[in-house]
Amino acid sequence: MAGLRSWSGLLAGATLLVIAVGAASVPNFLTPFSLATAMATLGPAALMAFPVALLVITRDIDISVASTAALTAACSGLVFAAQGPTPVAVAVALAVGAVCGAVNGFFVAVLELPALLVTLGTLALFRGLCYVILGSTPISPIPDFYAALGNNTVGLTILPWALVPAIVAALVAGVVLRGLPTGRRVLATGGNPATARYSGVRTRRLRFGLFVASGLAAAVAGMIQAGLTSQVSPDLALGMELDVITMVFLGGVSVLGGKGSIPAVVWAAALLMFIRKFLQLNNVSGYAQGIVIGVVLIGSLVVTNAASALVERRRRSAVSAESTPATTS
């Protein structure tokens, strides 16, 4: 836990450094409009990152979240394209998201198939279904609710509604992980699944529920992204899984499971947001931004892996020193 707090501090320092460099070198970097658009753009990916973080802590992963978001938006788009009421469209999106999460959960938690391979397959499957459902023609216009969710701010503040679900998800995930018995079960499942099962933890049900939660979060993210783009298209949120995974691993969540901090993931999301805003205002293309994010992801994995190895060596050295009998002359 001390290591995770230190990592949060490093991320906070890196975020402040990027803010300082951006404010000094880029015009309009910290204007209210710039911050509001940056937070709104961050919202969908950040929302999906928190349930994925919990999944990674349990030694699972969901890389199909962006495709799930697109599929839920596509299905709800069919509803309002047929002049259906907005509440029905929202209900359809949430139902499809839950089903997508349940599909992943069934294959991973029930059939015990590797989560990486399963969600890689559903990433392609769900995205393909988007093209089957929508073809090459986006659905537009979208309901006012979607547009407001993607573009409006809370009252007179600069806080966009697009970020509010992510804030709620961060609070819920943080309370669950550190304040509730469910969080202890999540950590125990990731730390040692066999021991967790022998201790009475229903690991399959827990993991299945986390996949469903991931699908529901993706459904809300799909609505937000549709509001941001003012349309529902088959390539909605394409590539956003890279941002989601980067936030999780940059936030210090262990690839091997059993360790993670929601505040650190929050700082990772903030750092990623300011990096992207800095690149955008410097007219860096989306492809080049993807390269930078990929480098950040690999770098975070290298640093956290090296830090874990260093801590483990120090622990073994301390244990060896304690077990070695003292010699007397």
Side-chain angles (χ1 to χ4, degrees):
M1 288 307 303
L4 288 174
R5 285 193 291 269
S6 299
W7 186 249
S8 295
L10 288 174
L11 290 174
T15 303
L16 294 176
L17 177 62
V18 172
I19 292 173
V21 172
S25 61
V26 181
N28 302 321
F29 186 75
L30 292 180
T31 62
F33 177 78
S34 178
L35 291 175
T37 55
M39 289 188 288
T41 305
L42 172 77
L47 171 59
M48 294 186 287
F50 297 111
V52 171
L54 296 179
L55 279 169
V56 173
I57 292 173
T58 63
R59 300 192 183 187
D60 290 320
I61 194 170
D62 185 0
I63 60 173
S64 69
V65 284
S67 296
T68 301
L71 182 58
T72 59
C75 292
S76 66
L78 293 180
V79 175
F80 53 75
Q83 307 301 317
T86 299
V88 174
V90 172
V92 167
L94 294 174
V96 173
V99 170
C100 291
V103 169
N104 287 331
F106 173 76
F107 285 109
V108 176
V110 178
L111 298 186
E112 297 291 344
L113 299 178
L116 179 62
L117 297 181
V118 168
T119 57
L120 180 63
T122 53
L123 177 151
L125 172 63
F126 298 158
R127 183 67 65 179
L129 288 174
C130 292
Y131 284 95
V132 170
I133 292 172
L134 298 177
S136 58
T137 305
I139 296 176
S140 183
I142 60 175
D144 292 339
F145 172 76
Y146 283 60
L149 186 61
N151 298 288
N152 289 3
T153 59
V154 179
L156 299 177
T157 69
I158 65 170
L159 176 67
W161 280 107
L163 190 62
V164 171
I167 295 173
V168 174
L171 293 173
V172 171
V175 170
V176 167
L177 188 61
R178 297 301 172 190
L180 296 178
T182 301
R184 292 192 288 273
R185 297 186 187 105
V186 168
L187 293 167
T189 300
N192 193 318
T195 301
R197 285 194 297 269
Y198 292 142
S199 300
V201 178
R202 298 180 179 180
T203 56
R204 288 186 175 181
R205 186 172 71 175
L206 176 66
R207 294 161 64 204
F208 185 89
L210 289 177
F211 274 107
V212 173
S214 180
L216 290 171
V220 179
M223 297 182 221
I224 297 171
Q225 190 65 21
L228 288 170
T229 59
S230 300
Q231 65 178 10
V232 174
S233 61
D235 61 350
L236 185 84
L238 185 64
M240 192 175 287
E241 58 273 351
L242 175 62
D243 282 2
V244 173
I245 294 171
T246 302
M247 290 176 194
V248 172
F249 290 120
L250 182 59
V253 178
S254 175
V255 180
L256 302 177
K259 297 178 183 178
S261 167
I262 298 302
V265 176
V266 172
W267 278 114
L271 176 59
L272 202 64
M273 177 187 76
F274 284 109
I275 289 176
R276 278 202 176 274
K277 176 55 65 174
F278 180 83
L279 296 174
Q280 288 170 0
L281 292 178
N282 280 285
N283 297 318
V284 177
S285 69
Y287 297 109
Q289 291 180 38
I291 294 173
V292 173
I293 300 305
V295 171
V296 171
L297 173 58
I298 295 173
S300 66
L301 292 174
V302 171
V303 171
T304 53
N305 184 67
S308 298
L310 179 61
V311 170
E312 182 63 20
R313 284 198 298 269
R314 288 182 175 179
R315 186 189 67 82
R316 290 180 179 179
S317 298
V319 171
S320 177
E322 291 177 358
S323 61
T324 301
T327 58
T328 57
S329 56

